[in-house]
Amino acid sequence: MALEKALAGIIQAAEEENAPVPGDYRGEDGLLYCGRCHTPKQWRGRLPGLGETTVACCCRCHAEACAAAREKQRLESRIQQLRDDAFDSLYMQNWTFAADDGGNLPLKTAMERYVELLADPDRSLWRGLILSGTVGCGKTWAAAEAVNALIDRGIPCKMTNFARLSGDYQENRCAAEQLNRYHLLVIDDLGAERTTSYMNEIVYQVIDTRFRSGLPLIVTTNLTLEEIKKPQNPENQRIYSRLLEMCHPIAVPGRDRRRQKAADRYDAMRAYLGL
């Protein structure tokens, strides 16, 4: 009885899923056929407790459409997992080329081209970037745009900073090597971390490990290119020398766009409140 009830539910669901539509027709065998792919939408045979019966089934084009929908859902889920893993801050998932306000079109164009470069399987072309500029000039957004664009292609990336990595190092001495599972690594705000010998060693280990992997690295920093090329601290000389060896430096011009946006929001709120 339970089996018959279960089969009746399956048959009912199949009938609803594969209901006749305009263009379907009856074949010489008496079964319903799809008007598009001309394959059966019904199956005839014996079922337990039902004997000889005819039930609805998927035609070829419907089965292919269902498979494509499942694959699309799987890919979307995979990409979202990559995005969740890539960013320490959730809002960066929305920092995309499509959402770019066009405030620095040359930089946007350069990052779009860089994404195409990294998507090329020819490793000999890969090189990292140093995005150097003042606070709020858009360098972090530009790096996040590249990460999001690569993730859209199913390529694993990671965007983090040395403050967070220092905590990872305290728990796992292999943290630097584990970062090499990401095709692109972005280290945001180099130079903002504490200047201790311990932290400098972490910074060097991460950069040097990435260098030896041959994988690309993007670093954003408020330091000027002059400060990177001619550091005063001997420990930084070792770090920045390795960094310049593996990354192409870019000076990002521009005003503090974050301050301007904050001012615009302030003015908009005052106007809304009638103050």
Side-chain angles (χ1 to χ4, degrees):
M1 194 68 177
L3 177 59
E4 293 178 4
K5 185 176 180 180
L7 282 174
I10 293 172
I11 292 171
Q12 178 63 29
E15 294 285 351
E16 295 174 357
E17 177 71 16
N18 301 282
V21 298
D24 291 351
Y25 61 93
R26 292 285 171 183
E28 294 181 358
D29 55 7
L31 298 177
L32 185 66
Y33 279 73
C34 174
R36 289 183 297 176
C37 67
H38 307 291
T39 58
K41 294 183 71 172
Q42 288 182 324
W43 172 87
R44 184 182 293 125
R46 298 186 63 84
L47 290 174
L50 299 177
E52 187 77 16
T53 187
T54 299
V55 297
C57 65
C58 284
C59 64
R60 184 178 61 213
C61 67
H62 184 59
E64 290 173 350
C66 289
R70 288 193 298 270
E71 178 63 12
K72 180 182 178 182
Q73 186 177 36
R74 185 192 69 81
L75 290 175
E76 289 175 349
S77 177
R78 168 62 176 161
I79 288 173
Q80 188 57 52
Q81 289 175 355
L82 291 176
R83 220 179 295 281
D84 290 339
D85 182 47
F87 296 104
D88 298 331
S89 300
L90 185 63
Y91 56 84
M92 287 186 177
Q93 296 187 15
N94 299 315
W95 292 9
T96 63
F97 289 123
D100 194 302
D101 64 4
N104 191 332
L105 285 177
L107 179 61
K108 178 188 176 184
T109 301
M111 297 310 294
E112 288 175 329
R113 291 177 177 175
Y114 188 65
V115 166
E116 295 301 321
L117 180 66
L118 294 193
D120 192 314
D122 185 357
R123 278 172 169 258
S124 65
L125 296 176
W126 292 350
R127 195 154 190 257
L129 297 177
I130 302 172
L131 302 181
S132 168
T134 57
V135 173
C137 68
K139 55 190 182 295
T140 298
W141 180 292
E145 285 178 320
V147 169
N148 277 306
L150 288 169
I151 287 175
D152 285 339
R153 301 184 185 207
I155 300 174
C157 305
K158 183 66 176 177
M159 185 165 183
T160 187
N161 55 57
F162 281 117
R164 185 173 293 274
L165 286 177
S166 67
D168 295 339
Y169 253 82
Q170 291 176 1
E171 299 177 4
N172 182 7
R173 302 304 298 179
C174 297
E177 285 80 3
Q178 291 178 355
L179 290 172
N180 289 338
R181 69 179 183 270
Y182 301 105
H183 180 66
L184 172 65
L185 174 64
V186 177
I187 302 295
D188 189 37
D189 217 7
L190 173 68
E193 65 278 351
R194 292 179 301 162
T195 54
T196 65
S197 295
Y198 174 74
M199 180 59 77
N200 285 339
E201 186 59 30
I202 291 175
V203 172
Y204 180 78
Q205 287 298 326
V206 170
I207 292 175
D208 184 62
T209 299
R210 194 68 182 179
F211 171 80
R212 288 185 283 105
S213 75
L215 292 169
L217 168 71
I218 295 178
V219 168
T220 74
T221 181
N222 294 339
L223 299 171
T224 67
L225 295 182
E226 185 68 17
E227 290 174 316
I228 294 173
K229 292 176 180 178
K230 298 179 180 180
Q232 301 299 314
N233 187 321
E235 291 184 342
N236 287 343
Q237 290 177 6
R238 182 176 68 146
I239 295 170
Y240 298 165
S241 174
R242 178 64 87 203
L243 191 59
L244 288 168
E245 189 175 359
M246 64 189 294
C247 295
H248 177 76
I250 298 176
V252 180
R255 64 189 187 284
D256 189 340
R257 295 163 65 189
R258 283 183 294 196
R259 179 174 294 180
Q260 182 60 51
K261 288 180 180 179
D264 292 342
R265 288 194 296 268
Y266 175 82
D267 291 341
M269 180 59 75
R270 282 183 60 86
Y272 179 79
L273 296 175
L275 299 175

